[in-house]
Amino acid sequence: GPLAQRPLLEVRLGELPTWISTCNLSAQGLLGAVQKAWSSYCAKYIHVRRGGPAGISMLLAGYCLLSYGWNYQHLKRHRWRKYH
């Protein structure tokens, strides 16, 4: 199909800059992309008939990585401090 309608995993490496240039990078386009990603995540891992702990554990792992990234500068400053 057309390059603009292909999902990211089906785009070849040489076609990646052209595919990115066809994406809608406005605020409304980015919000739509986030909404589509969230709904596909929920459809695949959360709203299933016989779900397991995979969906929730991925959310928790993502939150842990995100919070570590937010606090990295604070942790970096205080890691060599001695408390004695």
Side-chain angles (χ1 to χ4, degrees), residues 1-12 15-16 18-23 36:
L3 185 62
Q5 295 178 355
R6 286 192 214 161
L8 177 61
L9 293 176
E10 293 181 7
V11 176
R12 294 184 180 176
E15 300 171 336
L16 190 62
T18 309
W19 183 80
I20 291 174
S21 67
T22 61
C23 293
K36 183 179 177 183

Side-chain angles (χ1 to χ4, degrees), residues 44-61:
K44 187 172 183 180
Y45 293 107
I46 304 296
H47 304 300
V48 293
R49 185 172 298 183
R50 294 184 51 152
I56 303 298
S57 63
M58 279 195 289
L59 280 177
L60 290 175

